[in-house]
């Protein structure tokens, strides 16, 4: 047996060696896993082992026995900002700037309307990434309609060139949900700010997978979900970041009683609370939220830089395996090769991708399909190993050979 | 021992007799209860016994083992409308008109902005119940600001007299959260409609406690929470009712991808789905939502009319007990005596109410305190019995005597 098998043995050996040397390998046991290669953690993260017990306690003891007392005694009332502070270091934010609650879509709405108000009079255009996950564009359209702005969708590469004195807000994705392309957050943030506009960053596909550096790069507003790389569970509440220096001017379009300076004062007139709490709206969904809190414990002692290093090693290695196992011409990566432009997923364009993904899943390799022709594989460094990656590439090769 | 003790023995005997004859008494075992008299189910309903097992299955099997497959295989994706259809009969709605998700505040926002749009051009006033739970007023203020309307808070009794050709939308509470007063939903709905405006009803304090009759009374839009009389758990998702005949014109200010006609088409332009689904926004919070679904099973075989009959009997009996046990002049009921004007709570004005409630709780009688001077007791007919009521009145008397 000649070259191909030699190369394949080498990939297998390399996977074993890298797993043995992986400083994050120990984190795998903090998750409930089986013999499936789960490469869909960029859609729904795997279950952290601490969650079932915590949720059972929240339901049986906190709700069942303490009932209404838990709003104080079990810390329910302050959960949105407390859990926000657990997410903060993962996105490079100091404390008091992140609040958890509502869906990503609702937080995009809060942030965009607030951004238009921050930008001030005379600015009447909302620029949005034309390749965005659709909900961001729909919500941006609604925010534009309600604030009297015009919506201007442009490809991310052209954003800088369309900024003007009319630009009020710019909604950008840190990582493209389809291609896995990582956008230049520091550069675009600086450009938007130089134009006198306010950027809103959607971190759904980057938080928990790579350093974001919100404070360092002077980001004003950001939102993200918690059920992908943060493993918070299906539909776990999203979060909103409002830079500390802006909080006093953050003017929410959803001023619910939870963001009132004195929520139990039951006052007829609205007076916003100070701090990140101002981003809250109604009563927080405690079961989903406290499951997220338990899920975030897996990050104790983990540096996002180590996660990023492993993430790039995993996606590099997957591309190597694909090159080896998949017959030439059957797939084409739409994820950038340059590390500076890559998130933590690999998206392969593949004719018949829907059917191919179905067959992969049957063989124990779970990614997802994005219409019309994308196989999407997410790499979650806390629980995906190199042997998983080698197997995924190998099975993909088998599916595309048979 | 003379008159007082005779009367007291009679109340105790009456409680025993009524509990023995109560057709809903069997439902008590469907809840996790202890020896506390829990009269705060109008704030957070007690834990239904079916919930812990269901939640454990959702976490361990649906999320932990099936993971992403559960969006289809475990029915996650369709949960908002499926659970909406379980709530529908409790508020007198036919199927396909109720959708679950987001907080009450967020749903008030959707409904009010949509109401203004339905009312059409030339109407620029939002009327809101001046005694409303504050969040409704704050959100109404935001909806007014974003739609170019003026907010007009008026006492509920004056709503009919301020309706005019300028009125776009009217936000009303079915039951006042403080006083427990039941407002005239059929009459006010008809008056608002006759004025060419659109009413939005907040059912937080009525759904699950008394018949609402949304379809019967021609209500256009309604919202409500699920964690009070519906026992869905802390911060369980709220719901939105959009009358079937209006759904095609329901124009949501939060057009998230979950309400798209083809959510997985990932289209750049928004095309709203038909039906109640149009009220959805982002990814539903599955843990909280499926806990609610299990909680709603306690309603199997229960008629809302039977609940209402018991609710009125409980509140009547509580007022009798208070009259007997509490020294004259120490409390004053602000809840109407007329059944047609009473929800399922009794609110007593009482000097030092905060301290009194603290002492009641210490003695195992849990209600809540609403500033500045209200003791609030909610009566949940599915699990509160007449002996509980007698004990609550007796302990209140003890606290106010010593």
């Amino acid at each position: 047996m000649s070259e191909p098998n030699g190369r394949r043995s080498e990939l297998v050996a390399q996977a074993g060696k890298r797993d043995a040397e992986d400083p994050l390998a120990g984190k795998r046991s903090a998750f409930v896993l089986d013999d499936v290669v789960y490469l869909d953690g960029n859609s729904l993260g795997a279950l952290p082992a601490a969650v079932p017990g915590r949720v059972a306690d929240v339901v049986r003891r906190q709700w069942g026995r303490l009932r209404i007392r838990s709003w104080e005694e079990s810390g329910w009332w302050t959960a949105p900002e407390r859990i926000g502070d657990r997410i903060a270091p993962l996105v490079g934010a100091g404390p008091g700037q992140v609040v958890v609650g509502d869906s990503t879509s609702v937080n995009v709405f809060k942030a965009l309307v607030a951004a238009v108000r921050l930008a001030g009079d005379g600015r009447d255009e909302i620029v949005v990434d034309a390749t965005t996950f659709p909900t961001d564009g729909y919500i941006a359209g609604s925010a534009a309609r309600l604030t009297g702005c015009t919506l201007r969708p442009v490809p991310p590469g052209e954003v800088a060139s369309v900024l003007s004195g009319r630009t009020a807000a710019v909604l950008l994705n840190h990582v493209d949900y389809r291609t896995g392309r990582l956008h230049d957050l520091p550069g675009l943030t600086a450009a938007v700010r130089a134009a006198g506009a306010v950027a809103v960053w959607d971190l759904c596909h980057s938080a928990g997978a790579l350093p974001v550096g919100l404070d360092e790069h002077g980001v004003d507003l950001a939102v993200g979900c918690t059920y992908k790389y943060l493993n918070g569970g299906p539909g776990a509440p999203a979060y909103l970041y409002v830079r500390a220096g802006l909080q006093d001017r953050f003017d929410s379009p959803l001023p619910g009683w939870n963001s009132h300076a004195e929520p139990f004062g039951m006052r007829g007139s609205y007076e916003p609370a100070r701090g990140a709490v101002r981003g809250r709206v109604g009563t927080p969904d405690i079961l989903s939220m406290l499951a997220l809190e338990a899920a975030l414990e897996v990050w104790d002692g983990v540096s996002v830089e180590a996660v990023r290093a492993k993430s790039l090693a995993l996606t590099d290695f997957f591309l190597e395996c694909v090159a080896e196992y998949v017959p030439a011409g059957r797939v084409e990566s739409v994820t950038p090769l340059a590390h500076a432009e890559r998130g933590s997923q690999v998206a392969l364009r593949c004719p018949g991708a829907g059917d191919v993904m179905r067959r992969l899943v049957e063989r124990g390799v779970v990614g997802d399909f994005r219409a019309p022709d994308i196989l999407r594989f997410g790499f979650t460094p806390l629980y995906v190993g190199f042997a998983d990656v080698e197997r995924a590439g190998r099975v993909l090769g088998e599916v595309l050979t048979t």
Side-chain angles (χ1 to χ4, degrees), chain A:
Chain A
M1 315 295 269
S2 58
E3 202 47 27
N5 276 347
R7 173 66 179 146
R8 290 174 183 197
S9 304
E10 194 186 293
L11 289 172
V12 171
Q14 203 181 117
K17 181 163 179 293
R18 287 179 156 205
D19 279 334
E21 292 169 351
D22 173 15
L24 292 175
K27 281 289 170 185
R28 190 177 172 108
S29 64
F31 292 86
V32 175
L33 295 165
D34 47 28
D35 64 350
V36 166
V37 177
Y38 190 65
L39 303 181
D40 212 0
N42 55 332
S43 185
L44 175 66
L47 173 66
V51 170
R54 181 73 54 82
V55 171
D57 181 64
V58 170
V59 171
R60 290 178 188 276
R61 185 180 60 85
Q62 296 184 12
W63 174 13
R65 295 219 298 269
L66 298 179
R67 290 184 284 256
I68 198 71
R69 291 162 51 191
S70 275
W71 281 108
E72 277 194 34
E73 291 178 30
S74 303
W76 289 356
W77 183 259
T78 52
E81 48 271 24
R82 179 178 74 241
I83 302 172
D85 276 344
R86 287 213 72 139
I87 292 172
L90 302 176
V91 291
Q97 301 176 105
V98 178
V99 70
V100 174
D102 304 307
S103 66
T104 305
S105 299
V106 169
N107 282 295
V108 168
F109 183 76
K110 293 178 208 169
L112 266 185
V113 173
V116 170
R117 291 171 174 171
L118 282 165
D121 291 343
R123 292 178 176 266
D124 64 356
E125 206 169 70
I126 296 178
V127 173
V128 60
D129 172 356
T131 60
T132 186
F133 185 76
T135 211
D136 291 33
Y138 308 156
I139 294 288
S142 175
R145 178 179 171 193
L146 286 164
T147 56
C149 286
T150 302
L151 186 69
R152 185 165 183 179
V154 297
E158 295 171 24
V159 164
S161 68
V162 304
L163 299 172
S164 76
R166 288 188 56 185
T167 314
V170 185
L171 176 59
L172 294 161
N173 293 282
H174 197 192
V175 171
D176 184 287
Y177 79 101
R178 248 174 119 256
T179 63
R181 177 181 289 274
L182 173 64
H183 294 129
D184 175 15
L185 181 141
L188 283 164
T189 299
V192 171
R193 174 168 283 193
V198 178
V200 176
W201 283 96
D202 180 333
L203 309 177
C204 284
H205 287 272
S206 62
L210 50 92
V212 178
L214 291 177
D215 287 353
E216 179 187 352
H217 303 303
V219 169
D220 288 328
L221 299 166
V223 303
C225 77
T226 61
Y227 45 76
K228 300 181 189 292
Y229 299 103
L230 299 180
N231 315 300
Y239 57 90
L240 170 70
Y241 165 90
V242 181
R243 184 163 62 79
L246 279 185
Q247 288 172 352
D248 282 353
R249 293 190 293 137
F250 181 81
D251 184 2
S252 173
L254 293 170
W257 72 295
N258 275 229
S259 65
H260 196 282
E262 201 191 340
F264 292 95
M266 302 288 156
R267 309 211 178 285
S269 62
Y270 181 70
E271 185 197 332
R274 297 180 69 93
V277 173
R278 191 175 285 202
R280 288 176 62 167
V281 186
T283 304
D285 51 338
I286 292 300
L287 303 193
S288 291
M289 192 165 282
L290 299 189
L292 165 63
E293 186 169 35
L296 290 169
E297 290 174 5
V298 301
W299 293 94
D300 289 348
V302 173
S303 89
V304 179
E305 287 68 27
V307 167
R308 174 62 168 166
K310 183 175 172 188
S311 161
L312 288 170
L314 288 168
T315 50
D316 275 343
F317 188 56
F318 183 64
L319 289 169
E320 284 180 58
C321 292
V322 168
E324 171 56 28
Y325 289 115
V326 175
R330 294 300 304 273
V331 300
E332 174 202 4
S333 173
V334 299
T335 301
L337 278 180
H339 283 181
E341 296 175 3
R342 192 194 304 166
S344 197
Q345 73 179 55
V346 172
L348 302 176
R349 181 167 290 137
C350 174
D355 185 55
V356 169
M357 184 51 71
R358 191 182 51 71
R359 290 162 67 201
L360 280 174
V361 170
E362 281 168 9
R363 287 167 168 78
V365 175
V366 176
D368 64 22
F369 160 63
R370 282 291 172 259
D373 59 356
I374 296 290
L375 298 171
R376 204 174 66 148
F377 301 95
F379 297 84
T380 310
L382 295 188
Y383 56 78
V384 171
F386 293 87
D388 297 323
V389 169
E390 190 275 336
R391 182 175 149 204
R394 181 160 34 85
V395 173
L396 177 62
E398 289 163 12
V399 164
L400 289 175
T401 302
T402 55

